[in-house]
Amino acid sequence: MTQQATTWRRCRPAILGTLLFVMMTGCNEEPRIAQYEVPREAETRDFRRLGAIILFQDKVWFFKLDGPQKSLADEKDRFDKFVQSIQFSDKSAEPSWKLPEGWRQEPGDGKFRFATIRLGPPEQGMELTVIPLPRDSEDWLLKNVNRWRDQIGLAPIRESELAATTKKAKIDGKEATLVDLLGRKPRSKMPPMGQVARAEPRARPQAAAEGGPKPSYELPPGWRPLRPKVSPFVRQLLSFEVGEGDKIAKITATPAGGDLLSNVNRWRRDDLGLPETTETAMRRELTKLKVAGVEAFYVDLHSPQAATRILGVIVPLREDRGPQQSLFFKMIGPADLVSEQKRNFDGFIRSFRFGDDGK
Amino acid sequence: MQETAIPAGPPSSVMTPSPTPQPRRREEPLMFRLLKPIASLRLTVWLFALSILLVFFGTLAQVDAGIWTVVNHYFRSWGLIWVPFQIFVPRDLPVGGGFPFPGGWLLGGLLLVNLLAAHAVRFRISLKRSGILLIHSGLIVMMLGELFTGLWAVESRMTLAINEKANFIENSRANELAIIDRSDKKEKVIVIPDAILRNQKLIQSAELPFDIAIDEYYVNSALVGVKPEGRDMPDVMPGSDLHYYKVAHRSEETGVDSNARDDIPVARVTFKRKGTEEKIASLTLSPWFYPNTISRQIRFAEQNVSVDGKTYVLEFRPQRIYKPYTIQLLEFKHEVFEGTKTPKNFQSRIRLIDAAQKQDREVQIYMNNPLRYDGETFYQSSFLQDDSGTVLQVVRNPGLLIPGWLLPYISCAMVVIGLLIHFGVVLVNFLQKRLAV
């Protein structure tokens, strides 16, 4: 009897261990379909955007009225009447309209913004802007509706959903797309000074998954670093902006493929609305310079009314610096601001180093 | 029949070669006899050798498979696993076949039983042996710790924009298809675990408003850009960055790839009217379209399916684990060293609200200062674009009596102390003998 008890005492850990082992083998849970209810978060959609998008000749005219939903509700009828009153002059290729009572028109900036119209008390921040942009792509309508949606925190829609989420109307005989969106007040997208760092996403789109040495440069005064844009088509290396309010110039450095001519023509066509140029004509306008020890090309382009100016530097890339053929530096913005900043841009280009071998 | 007489008197020398009677052998109890082979040291050596081989096979397998696939298949496995011959030869030389091999938990379990049996059969508790006992106990704690981690530990994330509240965390290693009915004041959610999507061709359930046929399923995929001309193609989704994307399947991320990320699956799914072959919609679903997957850098159009006048939103997303408390991000700080872009500090100021526990307080989460609450540990992990929010890593590692994350520390401490005691005792004995001589 005593011996049996001793044996049990001796063997107890082993038996318990085995039991635990056997128990664990039965622990795997079968996945199954589950059902539950969660209270819905009350969405705060209190910011309204009324808009009209009208294509006239080669430009798309954007009439956009933003404001708090409550205040804008009273202005909706007046906005509709305002839109109905828009007329385009074939001569000047510009629109004109009848201003509703109480609305105050301010002149445009002569650059991007054609006109600004303020309504209601200033603290409500209701503002109607009129901006013409070149029709830059086939999907211009969807792209711009989605751009507006994104600005006020709404998910993008598919082309097939355009008809259900927007209205078509005839304004001065032209086809117009009317938009009425309810979302959240746009947040300033600009990060605070000196605080630029990339959020490390859980996973990145394929084209963005690249590493590499970090370039160095001297940041000119007043230039604010921005988060470089990364998409499957564009992977900016650097991005900055300079200027205040509506007068902003953007500076980017983007590695890209394609030959010199096609890229210069892309800037001329897409950014400035200029006709494409030829190889010989382009070569005449190019100046040569050295960037980080590499022979590069400098272009200086103006839009037809000289409102917008582009300073561009194209640096051919060595094969080991990536699959792209060239690094494109570009400063684009209101012509007077770009002229002011030209010295800074040139200094920035001179100070640029790839960071891989000190050059 | 003649009876054989047994002669009386002292036994003859012929019959008993030994004149002295042999002492009667003490009979060992049955359990002892059963345990003895299990406690064999030879078995220990064999099990260790097999474990080393298993680690080797698991390492080779990571050339083609992801680290978690290998961990689950080779190491966290109770039975026999299949080791393909292909892992031993260059991949451009295709070789078929393989061989069975004991899985990691099976070997670990056997080692545990072997060790416990050895203690039951061989070891005696004494001061001299206390070091060994402590070392072995430390090893047992270590093995159990890994078992508990494998069985119960969950790694999740919580993504919050500034002012956003959440009462759920998202599992980093499991996905689910959520079918959400938002027609009421409450969201009615039906969730189908990823494992069902992966293993079933047709999903039929009383809970579902339709049948779901899984036409294709891939463990991993990539988000690829589509040129604007392709925007009308059925699987193409517009992104908030004004580009168009689709999800293309790709091979699993491997353990040897230094840029490997988590695998993100993709499923091509056809929704059918219940019990019929009538097709309602056909969609490509992937967690790529769920904003938190790419730290909310791009948002995608909502995917939904309508049946009998009701619209259900579809989200293929990380598995949600709801909590009895809510966390709100009040502020996110991203400080850099002056004049540089080098991060100095990432810090989330959050509000923890748990009505049942009467908790409503502010907590600062930053490096080496996680929030531990209700069995979960929230670490500062990442942040959203333009510092607009935070990503917290949430780790749950429960043990039986002590938290699971403590077990490796305890086991290491036990082994170290055990080694000190054991070698200390040996040293003292040696010195005593030397002195005696």
Side-chain angles (χ1 to χ4, degrees):
Chain A
M1 193 67 198
T2 329
Q3 201 180 7
Q4 268 180 3
T6 322
T7 313
W8 165 241
R9 262 204 306 278
R10 275 188 189 160
C11 302
R12 202 166 40 186
I15 294 163
L16 289 177
T18 318
L19 269 177
L20 184 72
F21 177 72
V22 172
M23 267 161 53
M24 292 302 178
T25 53
C27 279
N28 287 341
E29 240 179 78
E30 272 293 303
R32 57 186 190 83
I33 296 173
Q35 198 172 12
Y36 55 82
E37 282 188 354
V38 278
R40 286 188 67 181
E41 274 283 306
E43 269 187 288
T44 42
R45 287 192 182 184
D46 50 8
F47 189 83
R48 195 167 176 185
R49 174 166 286 179
L50 298 170
I53 303 171
I54 308 165
L55 177 69
F56 179 61
Q57 293 176 357
D58 57 342
K59 275 189 183 157
V60 187
W61 288 83
F62 296 92
F63 300 83
K64 182 185 79 181
L65 172 57
D66 275 352
Q69 187 202 354
K70 277 184 193 161
S71 325
L72 220 57
D74 302 334
E75 302 289 344
K76 170 87 169 82
D77 288 346
R78 265 176 280 196
F79 178 76
D80 289 345
K81 278 185 191 151
F82 165 82
V83 170
Q84 286 302 330
S85 74
I86 296 170
Q87 285 188 324
F88 286 91
S89 147
D90 287 324
K91 223 177 181 182
S92 63
E94 283 173 0
S96 60
W97 50 75
K98 213 175 141 210
L99 209 61
E101 208 175 302
W103 290 22
R104 308 172 296 278
Q105 183 165 340
E106 293 170 9
D109 57 8
K111 319 285 176 314
F112 295 113
R113 197 179 280 201
F114 182 77
T116 304
I117 298 164
R118 299 200 191 275
L119 45 150
E123 66 272 12
Q124 287 182 353
M126 282 190 288
E127 187 186 73
L128 193 156
T129 55
V130 183
I131 296 173
L133 288 173
R135 180 187 163 166
D136 58 350
S137 61
E138 215 182 291
D139 58 335
W140 61 273
L141 183 60
L142 177 66
K143 217 159 93 171
N144 283 296
V145 169
N146 277 339
R147 180 167 58 85
W148 277 2
R149 291 180 65 91
D150 183 53
Q151 284 166 356
I152 58 168
L154 299 177
I157 52 166
R158 302 161 139 262
E159 183 129 296
S160 55
E161 291 163 311
L162 262 181
T165 46
T166 60
K167 271 187 196 163
K168 291 273 175 219
K170 284 270 179 216
I171 308 290
D172 190 25
K174 282 137 202 94
E175 189 161 281
T177 305
L178 304 180
V179 175
D180 186 352
L181 302 169
L182 202 55
R184 292 186 303 270
K185 197 174 175 185
R187 227 172 63 87
S188 165
K189 282 204 164 180
M190 211 179 68
M193 269 293 280
Q195 289 195 8
V196 178
R198 289 170 46 82
E200 205 45 61
R202 187 179 154 203
R204 284 175 291 175
Q206 198 173 38
E210 281 171 38
K214 286 206 168 101
S216 66
Y217 49 85
E218 276 166 31
L219 190 67
W223 285 25
R224 295 182 291 274
L226 297 179
R227 191 188 158 74
K229 187 168 146 191
V230 171
S231 80
F233 306 108
V234 182
R235 183 189 160 79
Q236 289 178 347
L237 188 67
L238 300 167
S239 176
F240 309 94
E241 67 171 24
V242 63
E244 295 300 329
D246 294 337
K247 236 169 114 179
I248 298 275
K250 298 226 177 221
I251 305 97
T252 52
T254 315
D259 60 299
L260 197 57
L261 179 67
S262 61
N263 280 293
V264 168
N265 272 337
R266 185 166 49 79
W267 286 347
R268 292 176 65 93
R269 189 184 61 233
D270 296 353
D271 294 323
L272 303 173
L274 289 171
E276 294 192 357
T277 183
T278 60
E279 181 83 31
T280 337
M282 177 195 72
R283 293 273 169 198
R284 270 203 302 272
E285 287 170 17
L286 286 178
T287 18
K288 283 188 181 172
L289 77 161
K290 284 223 165 180
V291 179
V294 181
E295 189 155 281
F297 306 95
Y298 199 117
V299 282
D300 189 348
L301 304 166
H302 294 261
S303 63
Q305 289 87 31
T308 310
R309 182 175 176 186
I310 288 180
L311 298 177
V313 173
I314 299 129
V315 188
L317 287 180
R318 284 196 330 234
E319 272 179 18
D320 61 336
R321 279 181 174 140
Q324 314 292 6
Q325 288 170 8
S326 311
L327 180 64
F328 293 84
F329 291 92
K330 175 171 125 181
M331 176 184 242
I332 180 167
D336 50 353
L337 179 63
V338 172
S339 307
E340 256 173 48
Q341 290 290 329
K342 189 172 182 307
R343 273 173 75 100
N344 283 341
F345 180 74
D346 295 351
F348 165 73
I349 295 292
R350 274 195 304 275
S351 72
F352 180 85
R353 297 289 178 272
F354 284 99
D356 44 6
D357 57 3
K359 286 187 175 176
Chain B
M1 215 183 208
Q2 201 185 343
E3 281 191 3
T4 314
I6 299 170
S12 77
S13 60
V14 179
M15 284 182 76
T16 50
S18 161
T20 46
Q22 204 162 35
R24 206 180 137 202
R25 221 180 135 192
R26 210 179 93 193
E27 197 169 316
E28 287 171 339
L30 177 71
M31 187 58 86
F32 199 83
R33 272 182 286 159
L34 282 176
L35 281 178
K36 229 175 167 177
I38 302 175
S40 140
L41 193 62
R42 192 170 288 172
L43 179 66
T44 318
V45 174
W46 268 105
L47 289 172
F48 270 126
L50 290 174
S51 305
I52 291 168
L53 283 175
L54 181 71
V55 171
F56 179 60
F57 299 155
T59 311
L60 287 183
Q62 285 184 52
V63 174
D64 312 296
I67 186 159
W68 289 105
T69 309
V70 171
V71 166
N72 292 327
H73 177 69
Y74 284 78
F75 303 120
R76 290 180 177 168
S77 174
W78 285 117
L80 291 178
I81 55 154
W82 189 254
V83 181
F85 288 127
Q86 184 68 66
I87 64 168
F88 303 104
V89 292
R91 301 307 185 265
D92 44 9
L93 199 83
V95 177
F99 58 92
F101 202 81
W105 275 351
L106 179 60
L107 285 177
L110 291 175
L111 270 168
L112 184 65
V113 173
N114 174 253
L115 188 59
L116 291 171
H119 275 275
V121 173
R122 276 203 300 276
F123 295 110
R124 300 282 175 275
I125 297 177
S126 67
L127 182 67
K128 213 174 146 187
R129 288 269 170 197
S130 60
I132 295 278
L133 205 70
L134 204 55
I135 295 168
H136 283 176
S137 309
L139 290 177
I140 292 171
V141 171
M142 195 180 281
M143 282 196 266
L144 288 178
E146 154 52 26
L147 184 68
F148 296 154
T149 303
L151 286 175
W152 299 316
V154 182
E155 259 182 50
S156 332
R157 281 188 185 84
M158 186 181 252
T159 307
L160 292 167
I162 291 167
N163 286 326
E164 190 180 330
K165 281 181 190 170
N167 64 340
F168 60 85
I169 53 177
E170 294 173 332
N171 193 338
S172 312
R173 300 213 206 300
N175 294 300
E176 66 186 14
L177 172 63
I179 298 154
I180 308 161
D181 172 10
R182 287 186 178 143
S183 61
D184 213 347
K185 273 185 184 167
K186 282 191 167 180
E187 267 184 14
K188 286 182 195 142
V189 188
I190 305 163
V191 287
I192 306 173
D194 200 9
I196 294 183
L197 299 178
R198 193 166 52 227
N199 299 322
Q200 289 187 21
K201 281 269 156 246
L202 182 68
I203 304 168
Q204 288 176 306
S205 164
E207 284 120 331
L208 289 171
F210 32 63
D211 292 345
I212 305 173
I214 312 295
D215 305 327
E216 283 173 283
Y217 181 95
Y218 298 98
V219 179
N220 193 21
S221 60
L223 187 67
V224 290
V226 175
K227 297 209 161 166
E229 305 87 72
R231 66 188 184 279
D232 287 337
M233 273 155 40
D235 292 337
V236 173
M237 295 276 276
S240 57
D241 62 344
L242 311 182
H243 291 292
Y244 305 93
Y245 297 89
K246 69 174 183 181
V247 176
H249 79 86
R250 69 182 239 175
S251 54
E252 199 181 330
E253 301 290 318
T254 66
V256 291
D257 182 359
S258 57
N259 287 321
R261 49 160 173 80
D262 294 343
D263 283 327
I264 297 175
V266 59
R268 176 138 193 94
V269 170
T270 302
F271 296 90
K272 292 175 177 172
R273 200 169 283 281
K274 252 178 155 7
T276 69
E277 281 300 306
E278 190 191 329
K279 189 172 138 183
I280 306 168
S282 206
L283 291 169
T284 297
L285 304 169
S286 171
W288 278 112
F289 300 136
Y290 183 69
N292 289 351
T293 307
I294 40 176
S295 297
R296 304 194 185 173
Q297 288 186 82
I298 308 168
R299 288 187 309 147
F300 288 97
E302 199 175 81
Q303 286 180 293
N304 50 41
V305 60
S306 295
V307 61
D308 300 327
K310 241 185 188 174
T311 299
Y312 298 89
V313 175
L314 304 167
E315 275 181 4
F316 196 1
R317 63 188 190 191
Q319 180 200 14
R320 277 191 186 184
I321 306 161
Y322 280 89
K323 295 285 150 197
Y325 51 87
T326 300
I327 287 180
Q328 182 182 21
L329 177 67
L330 300 176
E331 188 190 8
F332 179 71
K333 264 194 229 167
H334 170 185
E335 292 162 345
V336 290
F337 286 101
E338 214 171 317
T340 72
K341 290 181 199 167
T342 314
K344 188 165 79 176
N345 182 31
F346 296 108
Q347 189 163 349
S348 301
R349 184 163 65 89
I350 59 128
R351 183 177 161 208
L352 173 72
I353 311 151
D354 188 343
Q357 300 297 321
K358 297 200 171 86
Q359 294 269 356
D360 190 344
R361 57 186 163 104
E362 281 189 17
V363 184
Q364 300 276 5
I365 300 174
Y366 50 92
M367 202 171 89
N368 294 333
N369 191 53
L371 160 71
R372 291 187 207 279
Y373 190 72
D374 196 29
E376 241 98 21
T377 312
F378 293 77
Y379 297 93
Q380 181 63 57
S381 162
S382 185
F383 55 101
L384 301 182
Q385 198 165 359
D386 302 338
D387 297 339
S388 59
T390 191
V391 181
L392 303 173
Q393 191 180 27
V394 191
V395 179
R396 185 181 189 90
N397 195 355
L400 274 185
L401 291 171
I402 3 175
W405 61 270
L406 260 179
L407 291 179
Y409 297 96
I410 294 174
S411 72
C412 285
M414 286 166 82
V415 170
V416 169
I417 297 168
L419 284 169
L420 287 174
I421 293 175
H422 182 69
F423 289 114
V425 168
V426 172
L427 184 68
V428 169
N429 283 347
F430 171 74
L431 290 176
Q432 276 174 348
K433 276 182 196 161
R434 273 292 282 273
L435 285 173
V437 170

